[in-house]
Amino acid sequence: MPLHTEKSCQLCSVSFSIGRVRTTHEPLSSGWDPTGSPYHHRSATSSLCSIYPSESGCENIPVAAPPDGHAESRFQHLAGPGCTFLGGYNGRRIAEGEMRGVNRVRYVLRKPRVGRCVDEDEKEDHEEDEEEDENGDRDGGEESEFFVSAETIDVPIEHGNGELSEHLYGIPSTEFVGRNYPISGYRGEDDVAIPVHDACWKIFERVSMKKLGRVDLDGFVALWWREACGGCGFRGLNQDPVVRDLKERWWVHRPGTEYLAANPVDIPGFKLVMRGVYEETPRGDGAFVARDSSGPLSKRGGSVVIRRRQNDTDPFVGLPTELKNKILARLSPRDIANLRLCSRSFRQLPKQIFKQFIMEEFPWFWEIDEVRADVEAHYQKSFTEEYGEDLDLLEGVIPPAWFAFVKERMEGKPMDINWYQVYRQLKVMEKGSLGLRNRARIWSVAEEVVGRIEGMRGSLERSRGGGFVVYPKEMEGKDGNGRDYSCCPGCSNVQIELEEEEDIFEEDSAEGSEGESSEDDVSGDLSSSSDEDSE
């Protein structure tokens, strides 16, 4: 199989050359080929969807003279529901807004040596950026010898790096070489830049700050020079296996892999959806609506009374709430779901236990407090506009429960969020939202990279008596250490398998879909057991 020639993100391993095929109802700007042109370089007339347009719903409209002179095809392909054209992702399967900005590239490279001319304006601008920590140059108070460039405004084509939106340190994109892997024995390390997605780097920064309390740029560069791989970013990195399958000579836009091209940071409508489940219902500490149906019915004075049946064999019945909460804090959601089936003492769960689940299972949900603040601010503003600022006039006019809620919001008291509802919504969106699926994938990769950086730095500092060298000396010389960084053993095995069996992607995809369908939804277990209480 030919070696992948396009530049790829060294974190998520996905190519920067990702295209989108617009639909029949979208404007020209809604589609672009992998180079960023609105006219596709590859011809779609030979694809199955063009041969069978009645089944695919695709169209090929003639193009007399593309304005940019780029397209070789005489037709512009418009995607239908059954589009199979591999020159870009089907616009019916992934929205334009979900892909917007995903091809923005940033580079990690060395700061200029002493003596290089830097414009005063550029120097002042970059100093302001450093103060605001917007460029990832946060290294625990010690200034790094590397920096992260501004994002590109176009797609890097072939050997180009793309045009940068800003020249930090006075370095344009023409003065460095963006590479997918280092070359052993190469002595121009000052000119080598490590390409990453703008969105991936933002996630890497968040993971670094959470795990290390800083962004270790020197450690990131040092790890890349020692363990880089042109196929998976870093040697042996636990990437999604489908990524390696798609990296042929050019990126293959396989149907079903659209999530790899979804922006994992700017996800359209995500915060708005989450705001809809930030509620207090039910009031109190319990996460579920209390409906006691555990005993037989009796009538007193014409009203129905439910008598609670006590289980004398339940060892948790007599435990105080504090001890029960400590037991729950040590269990996984799966264990708690089983516990609720065994003991009625845990039929009701505290709201806060689900916030703990969110922090553990969805560490990438960094908007958790931001959404809450937005909801509270919205209530305070709307109530002030509707009722005015004099709350005494409302007492006795509106229902007591609603009056208490309005008063708390207008006084700025924090909401008692039912985190169970938030947890359930995140479980659904993790699978259904392309952007969140990609975010969870990249977050996991970033955690592994940060862990490697921490381990490598500790090992190097111990072996060198506290010193730390970014560029490995064993790579110097005519041949360096002789290692081939273009492909690690794991990527080589995938290439061999692809050459022997061309339909490996279809088999793996089928197996993956069967595995996903057989998995139990933990939130479904919890919700189903809570529904039994209401029967």
Side-chain angles (χ1 to χ4, degrees):
M1 186 183 75
L3 183 67
H4 186 71
T5 59
E6 298 170 337
K7 284 189 176 64
S8 303
C9 175
Q10 299 303 282
L11 286 170
C12 77
S13 192
V14 173
S15 172
F16 298 117
S17 300
I18 301 293
R20 180 180 185 271
V21 183
R22 66 186 178 103
T23 65
T24 55
H25 304 292
E26 291 179 323
L28 181 64
S29 59
S30 296
W32 55 88
D33 92 327
T35 64
S37 169
Y39 296 94
H40 287 276
H41 184 81
R42 295 175 58 183
S43 174
T45 55
S46 59
S47 62
L48 285 175
C49 57
S50 296
I51 298 175
Y52 301 99
S54 60
E55 297 182 31
S56 66
C58 296
E59 297 181 27
N60 289 297
I61 59 176
V63 178
D68 58 4
H70 166 74
E72 289 184 354
S73 173
R74 295 182 295 106
F75 296 93
Q76 178 73 358
H77 190 70
L78 304 181
C83 181
T84 59
F85 178 48
L86 301 182
Y89 282 117
N90 188 342
R92 294 179 181 268
R93 296 193 181 101
I94 182 169
E96 177 188 1
E98 292 179 288
M99 292 184 64
R100 188 61 63 186
V102 74
N103 284 342
R104 293 176 185 168
V105 188
R106 301 176 74 179
Y107 295 92
V108 182
L109 64 158
R110 191 191 292 270
K111 293 178 181 177
R113 301 280 188 174
V114 178
R116 168 176 272 178
C117 296
V118 180
D119 294 341
E120 290 298 325
D121 292 340
E122 292 176 341
K123 182 178 181 181
E124 293 176 1
D125 291 341
H126 187 71
E127 289 176 351
E128 293 177 0
D129 291 337
E130 285 182 326
E131 293 176 0
E132 297 175 1
D133 286 338
E134 291 182 353
N135 290 316
D137 193 6
R138 291 172 275 182
D139 202 15
E142 299 180 4
E143 184 178 2
S144 172
E145 60 177 312
F146 299 90
F147 75 100
V148 185
S149 74
E151 70 276 5
T152 58
I153 59 177
D154 55 9
V155 181
I157 303 175
E158 295 181 356
H159 300 293
N161 295 318
E163 180 62 31
L164 298 174
S165 62
E166 185 181 358
H167 297 166
L168 303 180
Y169 287 99
I171 301 179
S173 60
T174 55
E175 292 191 13
F176 58 81
V177 180
R179 294 193 57 85
N180 289 343
Y181 55 91
I183 299 176
S184 183
Y186 179 69
R187 294 302 299 131
E189 65 270 16
D190 286 2
D191 300 326
V192 173
I194 306 172
V196 292
H197 280 119
D198 174 58
C200 292
W201 187 257
K202 290 177 180 177
I203 294 177
F204 176 78
E205 285 186 333
R206 289 183 178 275
V207 174
S208 296
M209 295 302 295
K210 182 178 181 179
K211 300 291 185 181
L212 306 178
R214 60 194 176 97
V215 178
D216 191 353
L217 273 179
D218 288 1
F220 178 81
V221 177
L223 183 69
W224 186 81
W225 277 101
R226 289 166 173 80
E227 299 185 11
C229 170
C232 55
F234 292 92
R235 299 175 66 85
L237 197 61
N238 189 26
Q239 297 280 9
D240 191 328
V242 74
V243 175
R244 294 172 178 171
D245 297 345
L246 301 180
K247 296 180 73 171
E248 297 184 7
R249 184 174 182 83
W250 294 282
W251 183 264
V252 180
H253 300 78
R254 295 275 189 183
T257 62
E258 291 82 8
Y259 68 96
L260 297 173
N263 193 316
V265 175
D266 299 325
I267 304 174
F270 172 54
K271 290 198 297 183
L272 193 61
V273 171
M274 297 309 300
R275 285 174 63 176
V277 295
Y278 269 62
E279 301 177 349
E280 290 189 328
T281 307
R283 303 278 287 186
D285 183 59
F288 308 128
V289 177
R291 296 181 181 179
D292 195 341
S293 60
S294 59
L297 302 179
S298 65
K299 291 187 177 181
R300 294 180 182 176
S303 62
V304 178
V305 179
I306 301 176
R307 296 199 307 267
R308 185 175 182 82
R309 181 167 53 205
Q310 297 292 339
N311 185 357
D312 297 334
T313 63
D314 189 345
F316 302 104
V317 170
L319 291 181
T321 303
E322 292 77 8
L323 288 181
K324 292 180 182 178
N325 290 343
K326 288 186 177 181
I327 293 174
L328 292 173
R330 295 176 176 271
L331 300 178
S332 66
R334 178 76 63 190
D335 293 333
I336 292 177
N338 293 331
L339 178 61
R340 295 181 73 241
L341 296 175
C342 300
S343 173
R344 293 188 179 276
S345 301
F346 295 95
R347 302 303 273 177
Q348 184 62 273
L349 296 178
K351 294 177 180 178
Q352 287 299 316
I353 195 69
F354 288 97
K355 186 175 184 180
Q356 175 184 324
F357 293 160
I358 292 172
M359 303 299 290
E360 293 175 356
E361 294 185 38
F362 313 113
W364 41 259
F365 182 41
W366 57 72
E367 299 94 340
I368 183 170
D369 295 324
E370 182 182 346
V371 173
R372 178 176 184 167
D374 290 343
V375 172
E376 293 174 346
H378 171 73
Y379 275 128
Q380 188 175 37
K381 180 181 178 181
S382 60
F383 288 159
T384 301
E385 293 175 352
E386 183 176 358
Y387 300 117
E389 298 182 357
D390 193 353
L391 298 178
D392 295 335
L393 299 176
L394 295 177
E395 193 168 7
V397 178
I398 60 178
W402 182 245
F403 173 76
F405 180 79
V406 172
K407 183 179 179 181
E408 289 174 356
R409 300 292 76 75
M410 294 182 67
E411 290 178 351
K413 293 182 178 179
M415 293 179 63
D416 183 24
I417 301 297
N418 186 354
W419 296 108
Y420 170 61
Q421 300 297 337
V422 180
Y423 176 80
R424 289 185 65 186
Q425 186 63 43
L426 286 172
K427 292 289 287 187
V428 173
M429 294 198 68
E430 182 185 26
K431 296 180 179 179
S433 169
L434 298 179
L436 283 186
R437 184 177 176 183
N438 202 24
R439 178 189 289 191
R441 178 185 73 91
I442 297 170
W443 185 279
S444 177
V445 170
E447 284 185 325
E448 185 176 350
V449 172
V450 170
R452 289 193 184 187
I453 292 174
E454 185 178 20
M456 179 206 62
R457 178 177 278 276
S459 176
L460 289 177
E461 289 179 348
R462 286 192 299 270
S463 62
R464 297 178 180 273
F468 181 77
V469 178
V470 173
Y471 184 77
K473 297 298 182 182
E474 59 269 19
M475 292 184 66
E476 295 181 359
K478 182 178 180 181
D479 299 323
N481 57 12
R483 179 189 295 177
D484 179 13
Y485 290 85
S486 64
C487 198
C488 68
C491 296
S492 299
N493 293 336
V494 172
Q495 290 184 7
I496 294 173
E497 292 173 0
L498 286 173
E499 290 175 351
E500 295 177 347
E501 189 174 1
E502 295 180 355
D503 61 348
I504 188 174
F505 175 86
E506 285 76 9
E507 292 183 0
D508 290 345
S509 299
E511 293 175 3
S513 61
E514 292 175 1
E516 289 181 2
S517 61
S518 63
E519 292 180 356
D520 294 330
D521 191 349
V522 175
S523 65
D525 293 341
L526 293 174
S527 61
S528 62
S529 58
S530 66
D531 292 340
E532 293 176 1
D533 297 341
S534 60
E535 294 178 355

